[in-house]
Amino acid sequence: MIEMTARASHRKEGDQTMSKRSFWLAAAGLLLLGYTVVHYIHGAFLYRGYDDFYLLMELIRKWLATGEFRTDYVYFYPPFFYLLNVPLAKLSNAAGALVMVLLNQALLVACFGLLARAMTPRPSRRLWIWLLLPLALNFRPLLYLCSMAKIELLQTTLLVAGLVAIQRNRSWLAGALAAFAGTLKPVPLLMVLYFVWKRDWRAVMGWVVAFAAIFVVSSTAFGAGAVWSYFYHAAWLSD
C-alpha cells in the first residue's frame, strides 16, 4: 500500500514537471512567433528601399522609348532581365514595386520549400521546416531583398530548384536553370565550370542550350553587339 502511494506521488510530481515544461515551451514558442511576425512584416514590407528598382524601371522605359541600352556599367542588369521587366515598367513605380515585393514573398516560400525538400531527410522534414522557418524569417538581409524589390530571390530559387533537379537525376534541367539564373545576374553562369569539373555533360548541355536560347532572344531585342558588350563589361570592368 505504501509503495503504491509512493508511485502515485512520483507520477503526480512527474506530471506537474511535464506540465511546467510544456507551459514554458509554449510561452517561448509564442514569444518567438510574435517576434518573428513583427520582424518579418517590418523587414519584408515596411523598409521600402525601392531606389534601385525605380532606377531600373526608368532605364527600361528609356530603352522602350528611345532604344538606348546601357552596357557600360556593370551594376546594371543583363539584357534579358530588361525583357523580363517590361511588364513592370509599364506600370507606375509604386505598382511595379508592389508586384515585385509580393512576387518575392511567393519566391521566399517556394525557395524555402525546395531547400527543405533537398536538404532535410524525409521522416523529419516537417520538424526541420518548423525549426528553420523562424531563422529564415528573422534573417534581415533576406527580408531586405524582399522589401527592396530585388531579383536575388528569383536567382536563389532557380539555383535551389537546380539542386533538387540534380537529386532527381535531371541534371540537364539543373544546367538550364543555372544558365537562366545567370542571365539575371552573371555570377551563376560560372556554375558551368562545376558541371565540367564533375563531368556532368547532360548539365553542361542543358546550360549551353538554355544560354544559347536566351542569348538569341536578347540579341533579337538589343542586337548581339549590345549583349556581348554587357558581358564584356561585367567580366573586365567590375571595378
Side-chain angles (χ1 to χ4, degrees):
M1 186 69 178
I2 295 176
E3 184 178 353
M4 292 179 61
T5 303
R7 287 180 179 177
S9 177
H10 283 304
R11 187 179 298 111
K12 184 177 181 180
E13 290 178 358
D15 291 342
Q16 290 177 346
T17 301
M18 289 295 296
S19 179
K20 289 180 180 179
R21 289 179 180 175
S22 299
F23 170 79
W24 287 114
L25 284 174
L30 289 174
L31 182 63
L32 178 60
L33 176 63
Y35 175 82
T36 299
V37 169
V38 172
H39 188 264
Y40 172 75
I41 292 175
H42 178 268
F45 290 99
L46 302 182
Y47 181 70
R48 298 180 180 177
Y50 299 150
D51 291 347
D52 288 346
F53 178 79
Y54 289 164
L55 175 60
L56 176 65
M57 293 299 103
E58 291 304 318
L59 291 170
I60 296 174
R61 293 185 187 114
K62 186 175 182 179
W63 167 66
L64 290 173
T66 67
E68 180 184 349
F69 174 65
R70 291 285 300 272
T71 61
D72 58 340
Y73 188 49
V74 70
Y75 297 107
F76 288 77
Y77 295 97
F80 187 69
F81 185 65
Y82 277 63
L83 294 178
L84 292 180
N85 278 276
V86 166
L88 294 181
K90 293 184 176 181
L91 303 175
S92 67
N93 281 345
L98 177 61
V99 170
M100 195 63 190
V101 168
L102 294 177
L103 176 62
N104 274 338
Q105 312 308 313
L107 288 170
L108 180 62
V109 173
C111 184
F112 191 84
L114 289 170
L115 192 61
R117 178 172 296 183
M119 302 298 293
T120 59
R122 185 179 296 274
S124 59
R125 182 171 296 162
R126 187 171 297 178
L127 173 62
W128 275 104
I129 289 177
W130 285 109
L131 289 175
L132 295 176
L133 186 60
L135 296 178
L137 296 183
N138 283 289
F139 187 51
R140 178 68 64 162
L142 185 63
L143 300 185
Y144 280 166
L145 291 178
C146 294
S147 184
M148 296 172 69
K150 293 290 189 178
I151 197 61
E152 282 80 1
L153 270 175
L154 176 56
Q155 274 192 306
T156 304
T157 303
L158 290 171
L159 294 174
V160 172
L163 175 62
V164 175
I166 289 177
Q167 291 183 331
R168 296 185 175 184
N169 295 320
R170 297 178 181 175
S171 55
W172 62 269
L173 179 59
L177 291 172
F180 184 21
T183 59
L184 304 179
K185 278 191 172 181
V187 173
L189 291 175
L190 298 176
M191 284 291 296
V192 70
L193 300 179
Y194 172 79
F195 298 140
V196 171
W197 177 55
K198 287 291 187 179
R199 296 185 179 181
D200 191 341
W201 306 120
R202 294 178 62 194
V204 173
M205 183 59 64
W207 186 96
V208 169
V209 171
F211 182 78
I214 293 171
F215 182 86
V216 169
V217 172
S218 302
S219 298
T220 302
F222 300 100
V227 178
W228 280 120
S229 179
Y230 172 83
F231 286 106
Y232 169 81
H233 285 89
W236 301 109
L237 302 180
S238 59
D239 57 341

